[in-house]
Amino acid sequence: MQPSSTCIPSTKGSGEGTYLKLGIKCSSPICSERSSNCSSTSPCIYSIEYGDKTTSQGIYGRDRLTLTRSDVIDNFLFGCGTRNSGTFHELEEDGILGLSRNPISIVQQTAKKYHQVFSYCIPSKSGFTGFLRFGGGGQESIIYTPMTNYKDSSFYGINMIGISVAGKKLPIPSTIFAKGGSIIDSGTDVTRLPRDIYIPLRDAYRKAMAQYKLVKPEDLGQISELFDTCHFLGRQKSFKFPKVSFILSGGVAVDIPPSGIYFQVLKTVVCFAFSAKPLDGAPGIIWGSIQQRTLEVVYDVGKRKIGFGYGACK
């Protein structure tokens, strides 16, 4: 995240000299809590690697963060990258906004103002507008499930106990769902499931889609590394997808919106937007962003619950 133009690296050398105005001193207690790669003559250094192997290295800074004219956060801590790789270059991203339970995330740094509550809505496709809201959900009809502990404070744990397809719960033992843990993550696109959950789900989906022609994985090239179930659309403008629901603790069942069930890889081919391909070091189940499309997802960190509302954006 880059709240000030002084964060832009110099084109000569490493550019670290341009950060001294906002940089935190290496001798600061804040630095000793966050970094061990530091010398007394340099600004506080950070280094981080994300699950998709994107990396960022740079210095810790502190500045005033202005979200709106009335929402101003003084002494906001942030990392200003001087050496970035991965999606920063591939997708031309300016930065990453941390929404985790980590003490340095924007959620924790603004806890007094927004009470550790935020929500977002991811639109169904590019061209539509979603939102990120701090301080509370916008809908009254939000359904909540308990937020569970997960060993890594970067993630929000949930307790997934079942999946249904076309209104019928899959015969998968609850012990399989409990193994490895479950999280919900806006930074992972495709929902990842262990094979002993994915295979029954995939087979039920294929059965419901039997009227459509399957595409051979080898005909899809690299996309087959992630997806193994794709159908040929042909001249049809749309498919009729079976309803898929995630069953969570607290008596909550969340229907996945139609736009979260498929991933369009070609103009005439759509793939089942779930995968059994694991991510290194990740939990057993990751509820990804594609399956969150058009939902308002509310994180009430203080009350330890996560909520869902339908049709919050297109």
Side-chain angles (χ1 to χ4, degrees):
M1 183 175 187
Q2 297 183 348
S4 170
S5 62
T6 54
C7 281
I8 300 174
S10 167
T11 56
K12 297 181 180 180
S14 67
E16 291 179 359
T18 65
Y19 299 102
L20 294 179
K21 181 179 178 181
L22 297 176
I24 296 170
K25 292 182 178 180
C26 200
S27 57
S28 168
I30 295 174
C31 184
S32 62
E33 293 174 3
R34 305 292 170 197
S35 174
S36 59
N37 183 22
C38 194
S39 64
S40 59
T41 58
S42 69
C44 188
I45 305 298
Y46 78 89
S47 179
I48 188 168
E49 180 176 331
Y50 295 90
D52 63 355
K53 304 305 179 183
T54 290
T55 64
S56 179
Q57 297 176 340
I59 70 163
Y60 276 121
R62 178 162 37 195
D63 200 359
R64 173 177 291 175
L65 173 65
T66 302
L67 299 175
T68 69
R69 290 183 179 180
S70 59
D71 288 19
V72 179
I73 313 300
D74 287 322
N75 296 314
F76 183 76
L77 298 170
F78 61 96
C80 195
T82 58
R83 297 178 179 87
N84 303 316
S85 69
T87 57
F88 289 109
H89 297 301
E90 296 166 6
L91 302 179
E92 298 184 351
E93 293 180 347
D94 291 326
I96 295 176
L97 180 66
L99 296 170
S100 72
R101 294 179 291 122
N102 190 288
I104 203 173
S105 75
I106 190 172
V107 179
Q108 303 302 327
Q109 289 196 63
T110 61
K112 289 184 179 180
K113 186 174 184 63
Y114 301 123
H115 311 292
Q116 295 179 290
V117 179
F118 70 95
S119 67
Y120 58 73
C121 185
I122 300 170
S124 59
K125 59 182 178 180
S126 60
F128 290 162
T129 302
F131 62 79
L132 172 64
R133 178 186 290 121
F134 292 100
Q139 302 186 56
E140 294 182 358
S141 57
I142 301 291
I143 54 176
Y144 285 94
T145 188
M147 181 186 298
T148 62
N149 286 326
Y150 189 74
K151 58 185 178 181
D152 188 335
S153 64
S154 299
F155 300 118
Y156 289 99
I158 55 173
N159 186 19
M160 189 178 294
I161 59 177
I163 297 177
S164 68
V165 177
K168 185 177 181 180
K169 187 177 179 181
L170 300 176
I172 304 172
S174 58
T175 53
I176 294 179
F177 284 94
K179 185 179 180 180
S182 305
I183 64 168
I184 181 168
D185 182 30
S186 60
T188 301
D189 48 9
V190 176
T191 289
R192 308 301 177 100
L193 300 167
R195 289 193 64 81
D196 43 9
I197 296 176
Y198 173 76
I199 297 301
L201 171 62
R202 180 203 64 185
D203 291 349
Y205 173 83
R206 285 184 176 181
K207 183 177 180 181
M209 297 284 287
Q211 60 181 307
Y212 304 108
K213 181 181 177 182
L214 272 171
V215 178
K216 295 179 180 180
E218 56 266 28
D219 293 338
L220 297 175
Q222 290 185 343
I223 199 70
S224 62
E225 296 179 4
L226 189 60
F227 303 119
D228 68 357
T229 299
C230 301
H231 290 87
F232 180 64
L233 184 64
R235 296 181 179 180
Q236 299 176 78
K237 293 183 179 180
S238 64
F239 278 145
K240 184 178 180 181
F241 297 99
K243 184 171 71 171
V244 176
S245 303
F246 287 168
I247 304 170
L248 311 174
S249 60
V252 172
V254 180
D255 298 334
I256 303 302
S259 61
I261 296 175
Y262 70 92
F263 185 86
Q264 189 149 2
V265 296
L266 297 171
K267 193 172 184 179
T268 56
V269 176
V270 294
C271 295
F272 188 45
F274 298 77
S275 179
K277 185 177 181 180
L279 294 176
D280 293 341
I285 298 173
I286 307 175
W287 183 346
S289 62
I290 290 178
Q291 283 68 41
Q292 299 173 47
R293 288 174 174 173
T294 73
L295 295 172
E296 180 172 12
V297 185
V298 183
Y299 296 77
D300 191 330
V301 183
K303 294 182 178 179
R304 298 190 57 77
K305 60 182 183 178
I306 299 177
F308 303 90
Y310 296 106
C313 60
K314 292 184 179 181

